[in-house]
Structures are given as C-alpha cells and as structure tokens.
Amino acid sequence: QVQVVESGGGLVQAGGSLRLSCSASGTLIGAKTMGWFRQAPGKQRELVASVTNSADTNYADFVKGRFTIARLYAKNTVYLQMNNLKPEDAGAYYCNAQFIVGPKGSHWGQGTQVTVSS
C-alpha cells in the first residue's frame, strides 16, 4: 500500500521561502509522475508543479520563476522549493504520486499547510 507523506509547510512572511518535501513509500516501483497541488479555502484544488520519471516538468503559470520542483527518483521523493511567496500562495499543499504499474492509480498525501503573511 502506497503512503504519501508531505512535510515542510509553515508560516512565512511575504517574500520568504519554504521547501516542501514528499515521499511515497510502500513500493519499490517508481512513480510515473509526482506533483504538488494546492487548495485555498473555498477554491478547487489546482496543480502547482509536477515532474515525470523522464524529468519533464510542468508548472502552473502563477508559480513560474518562483517555485522549483525536484525529484529523487530512487526514493519516490519530490521537493518543492518556493521562493518569493505571496499571500495568494497560502493554502493546503498536497503531494500526488501517479503509478502506471504496480500500485496503479493516483495516490495523495494528507497535505501540509502553507501560510503567508503580508
């Protein structure tokens, strides 16, 4: 059974930085894609950034140039470096791991909270 666990959220002032970490454990199979999504109160969950096992990355327009996603393929671990944070970046950040073999499907973490004070 795949378990996805995030860490690294917290409170930061606008303009500050945070680094989120996520690991998908319980399988030796590499995830096809790992990514970060966020959800602000009253809003839908949205993609922030993702990276495939071919190192293809995808960023939402609103984080380009500020956030960087990085992955440790051997450990199904992904990081999100968030710089120049804005109050509108606040919300719950969820890690997602997608497998196309083995534990097929989409696996979510419980989320980590990011709060940005202005």
Side-chain angles (χ1 to χ4, degrees):
Q1 184 176 352
V2 175
Q3 286 190 319
V4 179
V5 179
E6 308 100 334
S7 63
L11 171 65
V12 65
Q13 287 189 329
S17 298
L18 280 175
R19 187 187 191 218
L20 306 183
S21 300
C22 167
S23 289
S25 62
T27 179
L28 295 178
I29 297 172
K32 169 66 175 176
T33 303
M34 295 191 73
W36 290 94
F37 292 72
R38 72 184 188 191
Q39 187 168 19
K43 295 189 176 181
Q44 289 189 330
R45 192 173 297 188
E46 58 186 354
L47 173 70
V48 175
S50 65
V51 56
T52 71
N53 57 3
S54 301
D56 294 321
T57 57
N58 182 32
Y59 290 94
D61 287 342
F62 52 77
V63 302
K64 285 182 180 177
R66 299 188 298 125
F67 292 10
T68 302
I69 191 168
R71 183 170 170 179
L72 289 178
Y73 296 91
K75 296 185 177 182
N76 276 338
T77 296
V78 67
Y79 304 97
L80 185 68
Q81 178 65 42
M82 304 186 294
N83 297 328
N84 191 23
L85 282 159
K86 304 176 181 180
E88 53 264 41
D89 292 319
Y93 281 69
Y94 296 91
C95 180
N96 176 268
Q98 294 184 7
F99 293 81
I100 59 173
V101 295
K104 287 183 180 180
S106 187
H107 303 267
W108 292 92
Q110 293 297 309
T112 185
Q113 189 68 33
V114 171
T115 304
V116 185
S117 63
S118 57

